[in-house]
């Protein structure tokens, strides 16, 4: 008798580049030998906060995570990546400099998640990056022309691990009125 493996579910808050930019980023990712190793443009994201993988997702958990998104307020901000970093298993874009607005958004989501009694993924440490894909290869670090956009929303993603499926189950506009952040544009 054939048993289908249990689907693993991953829930995370993220910022996604606009789809036209994501397509440009994917097309320009020259570090891969084949296109099959690259993530699809609609899957590019910067993880802000993530829960442990689970066998199923209850509507109560989705409701709690959406309430967290509803509770978070932040202003839009500029996001920029200027370094490509390859490990022995993946390639990601990273910023050379810290982004205080992105760190503050992570902190607001993490505090709201903890207040809801939910824990972050075991061992998770916020380290801003955007994974482009997976590969076997030698590690490298390469400065690139800056890639950036105005982050004006964050999303809650339900990823079906290993199934190349990402469902956006919540989206929130960054529409706070922090004048200091708006000055970045």
């Amino acid at each position: 008798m054939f048993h289908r493996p249990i689907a693993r579910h991953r829930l995370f808050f993220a910022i996604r580049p606009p789809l036209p930019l994501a397509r440009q980023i994917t097309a320009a990712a020259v570090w891969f030998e084949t296109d099959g190793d690259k993530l699809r443009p609609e899957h590019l994201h910067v993880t802000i906060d993530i829960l442990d993988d689970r066998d199923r997702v209850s509507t109560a958990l989705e409701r709690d995570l959406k309430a967290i998104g509803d509770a978070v307020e932040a202003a839009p901000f500029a996001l920029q990546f200027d370094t490509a970093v390859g490990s022995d298993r993946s390639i990601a874009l990273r910023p050379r400099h810290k982004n205080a607005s992105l760190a503050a958004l992570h902190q607001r989501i993490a505090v709201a998640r903890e207040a809801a009694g939910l824990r972050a993924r075991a061992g998770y440490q916020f380290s801003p990056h955007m994974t482009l894909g997976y590969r076997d290869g030698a590690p490298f670090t390469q400065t690139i022309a800056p890639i950036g956009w105005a982050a004006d929303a964050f999303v809650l993603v339900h990823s079906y691990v290993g199934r190349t499926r990402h469902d956006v189950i919540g989206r929130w506009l960054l529409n706070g009125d922090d004048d200091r952040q708006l000055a970045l544009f």
Side-chain angles (χ1 to χ4, degrees):
M1 177 194 278
F2 174 75
H3 291 282
R4 187 176 184 159
I6 295 174
R8 297 296 292 176
H9 302 272
R10 183 172 296 156
L11 295 159
F12 59 91
F13 289 98
I15 291 179
R16 298 188 330 173
L19 192 53
L21 177 60
R23 288 183 180 122
Q24 291 173 349
I25 293 168
T26 301
V30 297
W31 305 280
F32 297 92
E33 291 188 23
T34 66
D35 286 343
D37 298 324
K38 296 178 191 178
L39 290 180
R40 296 190 328 219
E42 61 271 19
H43 288 184
L44 293 185
H45 66 274
V46 179
T47 300
I48 302 171
D49 198 59
I50 188 168
L51 302 179
D52 279 324
D53 292 353
R54 48 196 75 228
D55 294 331
R56 65 181 190 83
V57 175
S58 68
T59 54
L61 177 60
E62 282 188 3
R63 183 184 61 242
D64 290 346
L65 290 170
K66 288 177 182 177
I68 291 167
D70 290 342
V72 171
E73 290 186 21
F77 58 91
L79 190 57
Q80 180 174 289
F81 297 92
D82 52 13
T83 306
V85 178
S87 70
D88 59 354
R89 62 182 191 92
S90 67
I91 297 174
L93 299 181
R94 292 187 173 274
R96 259 186 286 175
H97 305 288
K98 292 186 180 202
N99 184 315
S101 298
L102 179 59
L105 178 60
H106 159 71
Q107 185 64 30
R108 288 178 182 130
I109 291 172
V111 166
R113 176 189 34 74
E114 289 171 11
L118 299 170
R119 291 190 340 227
R121 171 189 248 168
Y124 174 72
Q125 292 184 352
F126 180 62
S127 176
H129 68 280
M130 184 166 50
T131 300
L132 301 178
Y134 299 93
R135 53 87 185 209
D136 293 322
F140 70 88
T141 300
Q142 179 181 342
T143 300
I144 61 169
I147 297 171
W149 69 94
D152 61 359
F154 68 98
V155 295
L156 174 60
V157 177
H158 179 174
S159 172
Y160 296 78
V161 179
R163 306 260 168 106
T164 62
R165 178 178 167 191
H166 282 190
D167 292 344
V168 174
I169 58 176
R171 183 175 187 276
W172 297 270
L173 293 178
L174 297 173
N175 57 8
D177 58 0
D178 185 347
D179 292 335
R180 183 176 43 89
Q181 296 305 322
L182 295 175
L184 291 174
F185 295 107

